[in-house]
């Protein structure tokens, strides 16, 4: 994807970077992001305030579009023309792709002064590095492997909150008999992948997950365990309503809030929907790890990669990196976003019960080896590979005649796409 720009980038980078350094005001940081609504916009304003307090000029470069696709298109054109912003919202393996182009700034001096290697789990720090050097700063951690439950609906059906997949199907049967949709789901490829990821982790465990979706090990992808995962995943379809195809995730969350459905497997951004409906964690809704995944934590992290600049702009850029990682910003941003700080040593007193549980598990899994990048959310593999595997999983979900064995072969082949 980005490699096609290599020749243009190399040809234009030196001239462009010199012109940026000359054109930029002293201490100016231009920040490309897609935080254009609600709590995210408030968080961006807080970061701007911190930078202004240090005497720097903030130049907002906001590009609307939730997943950032529009922003990435704009960023590519800016970098190719030799005019990159100081920082851009980039995550996961895409950081490595930009690193390959030689356009990212080295942040090691900031990281050393601020002790990033101490306050970040190694698995998170590694995502922020290119060839051992820090080039990006994380703003948050989203936990993906959550099960959201309406406890009142379960109680009426005589069902309990499931902790493994056998219990999940028992609960689903009881909910269905009670006339409630057991699993609220939006039939979109990324949502299909989110649920599949939870099933794979719950049945296979952390080592299986790492081999299959981080290392892309062919033997694991073609294993009997993967066939079992796919068979279990397909069983869920019986408990999803017929209006699921194309449904947005927040509308699926609304079904749980309204008592039309009992459960949903979704990342912690779903919590914002419950809170906006004035629902109280632990009372009106339950957040619990997806079945079988209590000792694991799949993460999706927003981060800012820094592009090579010089002079006063480079100094301001490093102050920006330090500000992003400051406890002050990490707290404000994540209280607004529904996620948790990327730092391990944070005071979580102001966070709700789901946030506190998430942080506790984040710390515990960072020590146990259960802290894992969510492949479904772009944290474990290059985008082309992710898209191919995601397509294979959605095809299996939507094709009743496809066997688990056929799906295994499709996923293994998709893992070779680059």
């Amino acid at each position: 994807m980005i490699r096609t720009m290599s020749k243009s980038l190399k040809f234009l980078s030196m001239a462009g970077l010199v012109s940026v350094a000359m054109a930029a005001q002293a201490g100016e940081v231009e920040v490309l992001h897609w935080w254009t609504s609600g709590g995210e916009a408030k968080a961006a304003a807080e970061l701007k305030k911190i930078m202004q307090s240090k005497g720097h000029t903030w130049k907002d470069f906001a590009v609307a579009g939730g997943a950032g696709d529009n922003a990435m298109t704009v960023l590519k054109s800016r970098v190719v023309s030799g005019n990159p912003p100081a920082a851009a919202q980039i995550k996961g393996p895409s950081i490595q792709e930009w690193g390959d182009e030689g356009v990212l700034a080295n942040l090691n001096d900031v990281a050393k002064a601020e002790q990033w290697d101490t306050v970040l789990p190694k698995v998170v720090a590694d995502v922020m590095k290119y060839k051992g050097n820090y080039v990006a700063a994380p703003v948050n951690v989203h936990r993906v492997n959550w099960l959201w439950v309406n406890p009142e609906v379960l109680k009426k059906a005589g069902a309990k909150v499931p902790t493994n997949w056998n219990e999940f199907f028992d609960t689903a049967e009881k909910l269905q008999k009670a006339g409630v949709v057991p699993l609220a789901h939006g039939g979109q490829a990324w949502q299909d992948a989110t649920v599949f990821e939870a099933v794979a982790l719950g049945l296979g465990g952390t080592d299986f997950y790492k081999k299959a979706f981080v290392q892309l090990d062919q033997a694991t992808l073609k294993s009997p365990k993967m066939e079992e995962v796919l068979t279990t995943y397909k069983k869920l379809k019986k408990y999803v309503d017929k209006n699921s195809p194309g449904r947005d995730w927040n509308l699926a969350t609304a079904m749980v809030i309204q008592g039309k459905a009992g459960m949903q497997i979704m990342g912690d951004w779903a919590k914002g929907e419950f809170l906006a409906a004035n629902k109280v964690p632990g009372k009106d809704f339950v957040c619990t790890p997806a079945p079988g995944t209590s000792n694991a934590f799949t993460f999706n992290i927003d981060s800012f990669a820094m592009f090579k600049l010089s002079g006063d702009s480079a100094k301001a850029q490093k102050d920006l990196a330090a500000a992003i990682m400051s406890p002050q910003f990490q707290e404000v941003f994540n209280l607004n976003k529904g996620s948790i700080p990327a730092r391990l040593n944070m005071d979580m007193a102001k966070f709700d019960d789901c946030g506190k549980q998430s942080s506790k598990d984040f710390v515990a899994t960072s020590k146990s080896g259960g802290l894992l990048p969510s492949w479904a959310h772009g944290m474990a593999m290059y985008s082309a590979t992710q898209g191919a595997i995601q397509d294979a999983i959605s095809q299996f979900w939507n094709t009743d005649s496809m066997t688990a064995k056929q799906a295994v072969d499709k996923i293994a082949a998709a893992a070779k796409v680059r």
Side-chain angles (χ1 to χ4, degrees):
M1 137 178 121
I2 295 168
R3 290 187 181 83
T4 58
M5 305 187 303
S6 289
K7 289 183 181 177
S8 307
L9 283 171
K10 286 168 185 170
F11 181 75
L12 291 164
S13 61
M14 284 310 296
L17 293 174
V18 171
S19 68
V20 168
M22 290 174 65
Q25 298 173 22
E28 177 184 275
V29 285
E30 184 180 19
V31 182
L32 171 62
H33 63 88
W34 53 90
W35 296 337
T36 55
S37 62
E40 292 178 335
K42 286 182 188 175
E46 181 66 24
L47 194 54
K48 177 181 178 179
K49 194 163 72 178
I50 293 172
M51 292 302 290
Q52 288 174 335
S53 73
K54 293 175 180 285
H56 299 305
T57 303
W58 172 281
K59 188 176 179 183
D60 205 52
F61 185 7
V63 180
D69 292 341
N70 296 340
M72 287 304 100
T73 301
V74 174
L75 178 62
K76 286 172 195 172
S77 66
R78 284 283 301 269
V79 175
V80 167
S81 66
N83 184 26
Q89 196 174 342
I90 302 172
K91 70 175 193 178
S94 292
I95 295 171
Q96 305 304 310
E97 291 181 306
W98 282 106
D100 287 342
E101 301 301 337
V103 294
L104 298 183
N106 187 313
L107 303 175
N108 283 348
D109 51 351
V110 180
K112 187 175 181 181
E114 302 287 330
Q115 299 183 313
W116 289 7
D117 276 342
T118 302
V119 300
L120 291 175
K122 186 180 184 301
V123 66
V124 174
D126 287 347
V127 175
M128 302 302 135
K129 293 176 180 179
Y130 176 72
K131 293 187 175 177
N133 299 310
Y134 277 102
V135 293
V139 295
N140 67 346
V141 175
H142 279 295
R143 187 179 196 173
V144 178
N145 62 313
W146 279 121
L147 178 70
W148 303 92
V149 178
N150 184 318
E152 186 62 27
V153 168
L154 263 64
K155 186 179 177 183
K156 285 180 181 175
K160 67 176 185 176
V161 176
T163 61
N164 58 50
W165 284 106
N166 286 334
E167 289 179 2
F168 178 91
F169 289 116
D170 288 342
T171 294
E173 280 292 326
K174 288 175 180 175
L175 287 169
Q176 204 163 56
K177 285 174 184 171
V180 176
V181 175
L183 182 65
H185 181 60
Q188 297 170 342
W190 73 269
Q191 294 189 64
D192 294 343
T194 299
V195 174
F196 174 80
E197 176 178 275
V199 176
L201 180 57
L203 286 177
T206 56
D207 287 343
F208 170 82
Y209 181 95
K210 286 177 191 173
K211 285 178 183 174
F213 305 115
V214 180
Q215 298 166 16
L216 299 174
D217 176 66
Q218 283 288 311
T220 306
L221 289 168
K222 293 177 179 176
S223 66
K225 177 58 72 175
M226 185 61 78
E227 203 168 332
E228 179 194 344
V229 166
L230 283 157
T231 301
T232 304
Y233 172 65
K234 196 68 166 276
K235 276 177 67 178
L236 295 175
K237 198 171 181 184
K238 175 186 173 185
Y239 304 105
V240 170
D241 69 299
K242 64 178 177 15
N243 296 319
S244 170
R247 178 187 288 139
D248 288 335
W249 69 268
N250 56 313
L251 299 180
T253 306
M255 292 171 65
V256 180
I257 292 170
Q258 296 160 8
K260 295 175 181 176
M263 302 175 284
Q264 181 188 20
I265 294 167
M266 186 52 61
D268 56 17
W269 45 91
K271 181 177 68 175
E273 300 296 307
F274 287 96
L275 298 180
N278 297 314
K279 302 300 181 183
V280 179
K283 179 188 170 192
D284 302 314
F285 68 98
V286 171
C287 51
T288 189
T293 70
S294 60
N295 294 322
F297 188 119
T298 46
F299 63 80
N300 179 20
I301 295 176
D302 291 311
S303 54
F304 280 96
M306 307 290 167
F307 286 81
K308 285 180 180 175
L309 301 175
S310 60
D312 290 333
S313 293
K315 169 68 170 69
Q317 181 186 58
K318 290 183 176 181
D319 282 348
L320 173 66
I324 287 169
M325 274 290 289
S326 69
Q328 174 193 353
F329 176 71
Q330 292 268 324
E331 179 179 86
V332 169
F333 178 84
N334 288 292
L335 283 170
N336 278 309
K337 188 80 160 61
S339 43
I340 62 169
R343 297 177 65 107
L344 287 170
N345 59 349
M346 288 290 295
D347 179 0
M348 298 295 290
K350 293 181 182 176
F351 288 77
D352 60 45
D353 289 350
C354 292
K356 287 173 181 171
Q357 182 65 47
S358 188
S359 182
K360 180 183 173 186
D361 292 349
F362 176 63
V363 173
T365 55
S366 72
K367 296 172 183 174
S368 69
L371 186 58
L372 305 163
S374 167
W375 76 264
H377 291 268
M379 297 303 301
M381 56 186 77
Y382 279 179
S383 55
T385 315
Q386 177 197 347
I389 293 178
Q390 197 167 273
D391 287 348
I393 287 162
S394 276
Q395 189 181 357
F396 176 60
W397 178 263
N398 292 306
T399 308
D400 291 340
S401 60
M402 188 184 292
T403 66
K405 182 68 179 72
Q406 288 171 323
V408 160
D409 293 338
K410 282 185 176 292
I411 291 169
K416 295 178 180 178
V417 173
R418 295 290 184 273

